[in-house]
Structure formats: structure tokens, C-alpha cells
Amino acid sequence: MPVEITWWGHATCTVEDSGVRLLTDPLFARRLAHLRRRRGAVPPPEAVVADAVLVSHLHSDHLHLPSLARLAPGTRLLVPRGARRAVPGLARVARLRALAVTELAAGEEVDVRDGVRVRAVPARHDGRRLPFGPHLCPALGYVVRGAERTYFAGDTGLFDTMAEEVGPVDVALLPVGGWGPYLGPGHLDAGRAAQALARLAPAAAVPVHYGTYWPLGMDAVRPHEFHAPGEEFERLARSFAPKVTVRVPRHGERVRLP
């Protein structure tokens, strides 16, 4: 049974495998601090429905408390180990919404439902709750294993042992941009994501983490960094990993892979 991916924008995706729904880094806001949503509607109510939610790290565009507060009571929430200590508001939201929070470190895995398992894998990214949080929680990626093996990278830079630490995967959801005109360390742009794709060698890939949020008042500053990363990743992937099928969905579009 193929896996189905719905990209809601930024790093937020629904992964459907073997009848199990997993939601990644939910961000359902029109505006977040100095960022506004410039492309794609705010996801509809059905986007919130999930058997488990995967949070890759503590930055507020990935661990967004108002979005987590929309989850149905009893939803399983997987977060980096130490997240509740680092973000006191997470414990309050989990208590109010009766969320089942599981903290994971890289290498640990859990059963979700019906034989679908999730394994936490390393990422190379500053996992702190910015701007002042102590570095208590390393950032994670996740591999969902059901009928297929789907890698959600969260936010990460390219690192030498990526393929070894992630392991074999069938589908890769790779960040290819960001929310501003410049990417700092610990991120993939389209070129580095294509290099990561060559190392991981999945059957299929989807670019994420681009083309959704942009700082207020900066529409004219390097606009190609907002619009172009998805298509640029698809173009570069043909050179770096020609055997990999790349799909570039529109916001809210569901694609079947591999």
C-alpha cells in the first residue's frame, strides 16, 4: 500500500500509512511573530486529525503551542527528550488537551498503531527554544515505518553520517528552504537537500519547509528564496539522484508515493 503525503505548508505534513495518520510539526497560524503566511490557506479542520504528532524540535515554528492546543484529546505527541522541561507551556497544553506525550531521544522508537512504528533519528540543528532557551533538547528527525519507511527530517543540515543514522527509507520529506531570505547553519537549501537525497537514496521525495511564511515587510528581499526552492530541488535532484521520483505538491495537495 503506497504512503500518502499531504503538505499543508512549511514543515507540516500528514503522513498516511496503513490506515494510520501522522502529523508533522503542526503550524496552523496565519501569523507567527514577524512572519505571515503568504501562500496556501490555513489548513482545514481535518488536518488536525492524527493518531500521532511528530515534533522535531523546540523552535516555535515547529513546536507551536496554539496549534498543538487544537489536537483532539488523547492524541499521541512525540517530542524530543526534555521538551516538557524546556517549554513549560507544553505541559500545560498537554494537560488541558489530555495529550499523550512521549519524549524520545535519537535511536528510540515507539509503536503508534496497527504495526506502524516511529523511530527518532539525529538531526543537525539548534534545538533550543529560542531566543534564550538553554540547549536541553537536541533536534530530531523521524522515520515512520509501516508499509513504507518515511523519513521526516524536520530541520537539519547535511552531515556525513546522515544515511547511516537515518537508515534505509522509501520516502524522504526534506526541508529545502526556510522562512526568510537567508538560511543559517543547520539548514538544507535546495542544493544540499539534493545532496542528502543522493546519500539517502529513497524511491521518492517531497520538498517541504519553504514557500509558506515570510517576514513582514520583506516581500522584495530575495523573493526567489521564497518561491523557488521546491522546483530548484526537483531540478537538482535529476542530477544528484536521477533514480528518485520527486513530487512537488501544492499547499493542501495529497500525493501517493512511492
Side-chain angles (χ1 to χ4, degrees):
M1 177 186 298
V3 66
E4 295 186 332
I5 307 295
T6 305
W7 182 51
W8 301 112
H10 202 53
T12 306
C13 300
T14 294
V15 179
E16 298 178 76
D17 189 322
S18 305
V20 177
R21 288 173 60 96
L22 302 106
L23 180 65
T24 67
D25 287 349
L27 180 56
F28 300 138
R30 293 188 183 278
R31 182 166 172 179
L32 175 63
H34 65 298
L35 306 178
R36 65 183 174 93
R37 192 176 183 110
R38 288 190 55 209
R39 210 185 246 182
V42 173
E46 56 263 30
V48 180
V49 177
D51 296 289
V53 174
L54 315 179
V55 172
S56 62
H57 62 287
L58 305 189
H59 293 175
S60 57
D61 58 324
H62 293 258
L63 195 164
H64 185 244
L65 294 175
S67 295
L68 296 180
R70 294 178 56 186
L71 298 174
T75 301
R76 185 89 173 266
L77 182 61
L78 308 183
V79 298
R81 188 171 302 284
R84 281 176 291 193
R85 178 184 171 195
V87 186
L90 175 59
R92 290 194 295 271
V93 168
R95 183 175 63 254
L96 290 172
R97 298 300 297 165
L99 304 178
V101 180
T102 300
E103 297 190 351
L104 295 174
E108 296 180 332
E109 61 180 76
V110 296
D111 286 308
V112 175
R113 184 170 67 81
D114 296 342
V116 174
R117 295 179 63 82
V118 173
R119 176 170 54 91
V121 299
R124 298 296 189 269
H125 188 70
D126 185 341
R128 291 176 296 174
R129 187 70 163 182
L130 297 177
F132 304 116
H135 197 163
L136 297 177
C137 302
L140 298 174
Y142 295 96
V143 176
V144 177
R145 189 173 78 244
E148 308 288 349
R149 296 162 297 185
T150 301
Y151 170 46
F152 168 63
D155 253 355
T156 187
L158 186 65
F159 54 100
D160 290 341
T161 58
M162 177 181 276
E164 176 185 347
E165 297 193 60
V166 171
V169 293
D170 303 298
V171 177
L173 310 180
L174 295 177
V176 299
W179 49 255
Y182 301 98
L183 286 174
H187 293 88
L188 297 177
D189 61 10
R192 291 190 292 272
Q195 294 177 53
L197 193 66
R199 299 182 187 189
L200 295 164
V206 173
V208 301
H209 202 274
Y210 77 100
T212 307
Y213 292 92
W214 204 247
L216 289 164
M218 297 190 71
D219 289 14
V221 180
R222 295 173 61 86
H224 63 283
E225 297 291 353
F226 178 84
H227 294 284
E231 289 74 15
E232 181 72 359
F233 170 73
E234 183 180 31
R235 182 183 69 81
L236 291 170
R238 288 196 289 269
S239 297
F240 283 93
K243 295 183 179 179
V244 180
T245 298
V246 175
R247 300 288 299 274
V248 184
R250 299 181 301 275
H251 289 80
E253 182 181 1
R254 176 186 294 183
V255 294
R256 301 186 72 189
L257 301 166

